[in-house]
Amino acid sequence: MKNIGYYNGKTGPIEEMTVPMNDRACYFGDGVYDATCVVNHVPMAIDDHIDRIYRSAGLIDIEIPMEKAEMKRMLQGLVDQVEGDVLFLYWQVTRGVGMRGHAYKNAGGTPSIWAFVRPSQMSDPFGVYKCITMEDTRFFHCNIKTINLLPAVIANQRAEEAGCQETIFHRGERVTECSHSNVHIIKNGVLRTAPCDNLILPGITRAHILKICEAKGIPVVEAPFTVREMMEADEIFFSSSSNLTCRIGEIDGKRVGLKDEKTFGAIRDAYQLEMKNECGV
Ligand code: PLP
């Protein structure tokens, strides 16, 4: 198949799938999601992603009506049906179907499980990327991977209009993360990344990068950094499951970073190797 969609056990081509109007995703964005890249039909770090969607769901009081092992089997079953060397796997759990009403305890219905798999492409690990910055006007629950993504959607549109690949959010002076990735800086050989509080999503790629740094003896400081510190850093890069590590060479039209290829390259290459080992490329 070219792609596949899934909704509560029903499958079909994504373009032909329909869902009930009363699914609370439609009215409230009342749900959580996760996503990862798939290479050679192996979803990257799938256990980490499954753990995270259960954690996100728990934080908004959604009980996923499926065991983790069953979710993994179901997702792999979808992946196996789609052709292609590189795919994108997305899935979400919403609070379910019920007449519209903000409070949910008496809304009835069991949580709905949605998923799709479609062809994708890996971004160039040796590319140099451009970003814009934007005030982070999202809410204070950014640690939950919710399907409420309006500020991220707008931010990403602005980046695209500026000919850039990502938008770096900041709350005042403090850099938080990007519209759909985490952002890190390297200064004097030390990796600095925002701490996992309620202002950022705890990225799976971020966690893998920290383990790589530990293994390679690259010091890490998990502490907030400012826009100015970022602009003056030796290296700046963003990370996500679909783009892995992307080195930034321009922010708001100014040339930045690209001064410590050795440290950034060590992280990038170790992560590429990890992917090769996991997915057999
Ligand atoms: N931050 C945000 C807001 C995201 O949406 C994402 C990924 O979708 C990330 C960070 C990176 O997370 P991960 O590395 O788990 O893909």
Side-chain angles (χ1 to χ4, degrees), residues 33 35 49 52 138 145 177-182 201-206 239-242:
Y33 76 104
H49 287 275
R52 185 170 63 186
R138 300 173 305 162
K145 202 162 167 61
E177 59 179 339
C178 298
S179 70
H180 53 25
S181 39
N182 294 114
L201 182 80
I204 306 290
T205 318
R206 175 190 180 281
S239 70
S240 73
S241 299
S242 24

Side-chain angles (χ1 to χ4, degrees), residues 214-258:
E214 197 184 338
K216 300 226 158 277
I218 299 169
V220 171
V221 176
E222 286 183 79
F225 55 86
T226 65
V227 174
R228 185 168 174 180
E229 284 170 319
M230 175 176 76
M231 299 304 279
E232 292 172 357
D234 298 332
E235 292 285 339
I236 311 147
F237 65 103
F238 60 88
S239 70
S240 73
S241 299
S242 24
N243 290 310
L244 307 190
T245 52
C246 294
R247 195 178 188 201
I248 302 172
E250 192 182 301
I251 298 177
D252 292 337
K254 299 185 191 80
R255 284 168 176 248
V256 292
L258 310 183

